[in-house]
Amino acid sequence: MTTQTAENVKLFNSGHTACAGCGLALAARLVLQATGPKVIVVNATGCLEVFTTRSPQTAWGIPWIHSLFENQAAVATGVEAALRALGRGDEARVIAWGGDGASADIGFGGISGMWERYDDVLYICYDNEAYMNTGIQRSGLTPFKGHTSTSPAGKVSLGNMKQKKNIPAIAVAHGLPYVATATVAYPKDLERKVKKAMEVRGPRYLQILVPCPLGWGHATSDTISMSKLAVETGLNPLFEYIDGKLATAMTVKQKPVEEYLKPQSRFKHLFRDAAGAEQIKLIQEIANSNFAKFKVEAVK
Amino acid sequence: MKEVRLHGRGGQGVVTAAELMASAAFFDGKETQAFPTFGSERMGAPVASFVRISEKKIRIRSQIYEPDYVIVQDPTLIGSVDVFAGLKQGGLILINTEKKPEELKLKPGFNVKTIPATKIAIEILGRPIPNTVMLGAFAGLTGLVTMDGIKKAMQQRFKAELVEKNMQAVERTFSMLKN
Amino acid sequence: MKKVTEGLKAVAESVALCRPDVISAYPITPQTHIVEELAQIVADGKLKCEFINVESEFSAASTVLGASAAGARAYTATSSQGLLLMMEVLYNMAGMRLPVVITDANRAVSAPINIWSDWQDAITVRDAGLIMMYAEDNQDCCDMHYQAFKIAEDPEVQLPVMVNMDGFILTHAFDPIDFPSQADIDKYLPKFKPLDFLSANNPRSFGLMGGPDRYLETRYAMAETFKSITPVILKAADDFKKMFGRYSGGMIEEYRMEDAETVLVSMGSTISDLKEAVDTMREKGKKIGVLKIRILRPYPAAEIKQALSRCKRVICVEKAISLGGPGILAAELKSAIYSNANKPEVSNFIIGLGGRDVKQDHIFELVEKAEKGVCETEFIGLDMKLVEEMDK
Amino acid sequence: MVAKRAKNILIGNPGTSLANKTGSWRVFMPVYDKTKCTACGMCSMMCPDGCVHGDKIKKYDPDYDYCKGCGVCAKVCPVKCITMKEEQK
């Protein structure tokens, strides 16, 4: 039996109520393993907040605050300003953390403001590609042709009409010194990027793709393989921009997008008929253009 | 209690003039209150500001409808704005113009005084800002605020070199129209 | 030191004397001079403080929330639409027990867009869990700010405080203001010592989810806190008087109510106009007084019940409206006096919305009307010609 | 005297989620064959619940108090020493 003692309390603890196989829960632990204890996390409303902190319990072992769905960036600004004002600047660095909905949609204005102010805050977007906390509704980061409860596939629709909003590019346009993407299938890469981000002062952006077995409709045991395929197909390239320039891009052997799409029920409508097959071709084009853009070696 | 209304255009320092008058009255040991027209007017638009000066604590917060005195900082306002509105019969109206009162052909029943404030401002301050010049003339005419009060108000509000120049202007116009 | 100062600048100077660690605000008429002046005070090095420019009032409120949670004394100011944009954060700030001080330059809420004064903005957030103070004049407003930090940060309270000042009528008026010295304010308001704050040395989680099994208890705890705030508010004023010689306090204030048969009830700068009118009416032999509601939350029900136990007629003069509902002040007031043995009749009038000037004649008119019979949410000062033409 | 500040509802102490034994959610349980295990630590690193502990010498074990039985560990194990077996309750 494991019980709570001072010794076994970690930075991110078991006993949280994430779904089995949750990519986000894994990402949270990996991020804090990389940062160490001297951080204060400001968390937007969403899965991460809900499954870690149902009163009176908390899974966190670092100082943590949740305020609202869309104010994580501004609250982080306030925490960071307070540490400076109170002469506690060496005590901790500030991380603002929100899902794709909180980051790309409802909270985006605040994030843009924080980036413009050049606050010393690492912003982490955990991207599970929809509003999973409220039952899988479409967000600005829902993929092209993905089915969600508000971008459903039906007789005349084949799912989400839009491509993912390109937040990393928007971050680079704000003049951020460090912008990167990562995913849980590559924990060493993720760890390196978090550490790199923590070495930089000023605003930084890290977008972590986290598979959601519930929302994506894959087996709970496939979280890592889905995360890996997202990269290998080219649909979720892993890269770093340092001072506005592309610094690294992960090299992988390109796999056809079908391998990634097929195991996920959110794309099953694309495998029914010719119309779906046409859409898969378009998705393949997105993947190909990512490969070209990030100079990732495509193996024929 | 005496109530004053100041007319000008946005950017001519009509609010500062009211503030200075109130502050001067305060230094004279009076109770006072000043406020601008609560508007969204832009530079150049006709604006007004108001001053109340009393021996007793001033409580009333409504706007001034029946002033004892009116100051017109910009003569081009006459005709487009009813500068006499509510002015008490026999009440004093001080107008910034090089013309004599009788040349202005204004409605009768009021005590009209004129002062070439812009001309004096350019001469002494080097800028066509007539507000302190008019304040000096107003003080000379009415005795509602003192030279000492104006000086202290300016010292609090302006930098030293500005105070000196503005006081020169105030002293000149104070004696020009002193009763 | 006493000097003639604009209301907003006086507030900014008073706030600076309270030495906030973090200020964040967004410009909005008629509040803007507060942030401008505070920005200048910080820029001139007269106040050591983090002044954070943000992209909205929502972020301003969120920034001071974060700063307060991390243990800083934090301040923001806003008005009207800005306050409504902050609303979600205000509830959160109160629920998290964060002692932020907020100044609201009371202004009408759109549509139609209107920058002038009434109370609709703050009244709309009255249930958020903020302590709400209403200033009668600018001296009162400045003194309220020193007390507001003290009340907010009291270990028994730990709640945000909102100081309300009527837009333009107070914010843009120049009055003689008596400022305490920095040394005296430092004595009156010592450095903020938060009970709980975000710290890597004590890594706790703030803002947990409270399910149906726990939320009710948190709201109960807040309701209980509000029951015991009154002594803290009164003590802050008593301590202030001991130190500075003037009393700026009380939950309510009675003016010429000793033998009053009719009592006018209102808040904010309107009280001054009512007092002026009452003096005139008293000269004509009318037995009339004024009851000022200085603190709207916690609602001073017991004090009001007591104060209105002798009169025959109460007239609520309100600068906000609950559309489709009863007069807001009147409804609360009626509930406060419901158990009085001698219940006065209660009339209420809507005046001055959107900056419509409140003239002395308006006050005489509404008293006359109420004397003829009870009036419910009747408008005073309407331009009937305009009303008739509106739909033509 | 009531607890007016509701502190223990509003503020959580670090790691208190450990009191919540999520192992009861499990339908399939991972069973480790330590004879095949190379102690690479992949299962531990990839566990979404952070409940696989061990080291090079003792090798790795899931903490069944928290293991939700997602099967990620079995899938990522390079030597396939973990099998998911139906929970016997």
Side-chain angles (χ1 to χ4, degrees), chain A residues 25-35 183-184 187 190-191 194, chain D residues 45-46:
Chain A
L26 171 54
R29 179 166 60 80
L30 294 173
V31 166
L32 290 185
Q33 274 175 17
T35 62
T183 187
V184 288
L190 173 59
E191 183 190 7
V194 172
Chain D
M45 186 185 304
M46 292 304 203

Side-chain angles (χ1 to χ4, degrees), chain D residues 20-71:
Chain D
N20 189 27
K21 301 294 165 61
T22 52
S24 61
W25 298 18
R26 203 167 51 241
V27 179
F28 290 93
M29 72 188 294
V31 178
Y32 283 56
D33 178 355
K34 290 212 181 174
T35 60
K36 284 205 251 167
C37 173
T38 61
C40 71
M42 199 64 171
C43 54
S44 175
M45 186 185 304
M46 292 304 203
C47 174
D49 286 280
C51 67
V52 183
H53 308 295
D55 55 44
K56 291 269 173 211
I57 297 139
K58 286 189 293 190
K59 303 191 177 174
Y60 288 84
D61 284 301
D63 184 338
Y64 293 110
D65 275 354
Y66 302 107
C67 170
K68 293 170 187 159
C70 69

Side-chain angles (χ1 to χ4, degrees), chain C residues 47 81 165 169 221:
Chain C
L47 172 67
Q81 314 299 134
M165 65 189 302
I169 299 168

Side-chain angles (χ1 to χ4, degrees), chain A residues 25-218:
Chain A
L26 171 54
R29 179 166 60 80
L30 294 173
V31 166
L32 290 185
Q33 274 175 17
T35 62
K38 288 176 76 172
V39 290
I40 295 175
V41 170
V42 180
N43 201 160
T45 304
C47 274
L48 183 61
E49 166 262 326
V50 168
F51 74 62
T52 56
T53 55
R54 174 142 184 183
S55 173
Q57 297 170 351
T58 173
W60 301 86
I62 44 90
W64 177 95
I65 183 172
H66 159 251
S67 173
L68 299 170
F69 197 1
E70 68 282 39
N71 70 351
Q72 64 281 10
V75 172
T77 291
V79 172
E80 198 258 341
L83 293 181
R84 253 184 297 130
L86 299 169
R88 287 164 51 201
D90 295 335
E91 182 190 304
R93 303 284 297 283
V94 180
I95 298 176
W97 205 323
D100 45 293
S103 306
D105 298 348
I106 193 166
F108 184 71
I111 296 170
S112 175
M114 184 182 79
W115 286 346
E116 182 213 326
R117 285 190 297 274
Y118 219 75
D119 292 331
D120 185 29
V121 174
L122 168 60
Y123 191 92
I124 299 177
C125 166
Y126 62 87
D127 177 18
N128 51 24
E129 304 196 313
Y131 290 90
M132 300 313 186
N133 188 41
T134 46
I136 316 155
Q137 294 83 26
R138 183 206 170 273
S139 85
L141 295 188
T142 296
F144 184 59
K145 297 299 154 188
H147 164 98
T148 71
S149 60
T150 52
S151 62
K155 274 185 184 163
V156 295
S157 166
L158 286 161
N160 187 40
M161 305 290 285
K162 306 275 167 53
Q163 285 196 40
K164 285 172 77 112
K165 193 193 274 192
N166 194 341
I167 305 292
I170 297 170
V172 169
H174 277 74
L176 264 58
Y178 188 79
V179 175
T181 57
T183 187
V184 288
Y186 303 91
K188 293 287 171 201
D189 179 68
L190 173 59
E191 183 190 7
R192 185 185 65 76
K193 283 170 176 166
V194 172
K195 286 192 164 155
K196 177 80 193 162
M198 294 305 281
E199 284 168 14
V200 178
R201 287 277 164 182
R204 294 140 284 148
Y205 180 67
L206 180 61
Q207 184 168 308
I208 309 174
L209 184 76
V210 289
C212 169
L214 178 75
W216 294 14
H218 61 73

Side-chain angles (χ1 to χ4, degrees), chain C residues 4-17:
Chain C
V4 171
T5 313
E6 188 206 53
L8 293 168
K9 288 189 175 173
V11 167
E13 280 189 48
S14 301
V15 168
L17 286 171

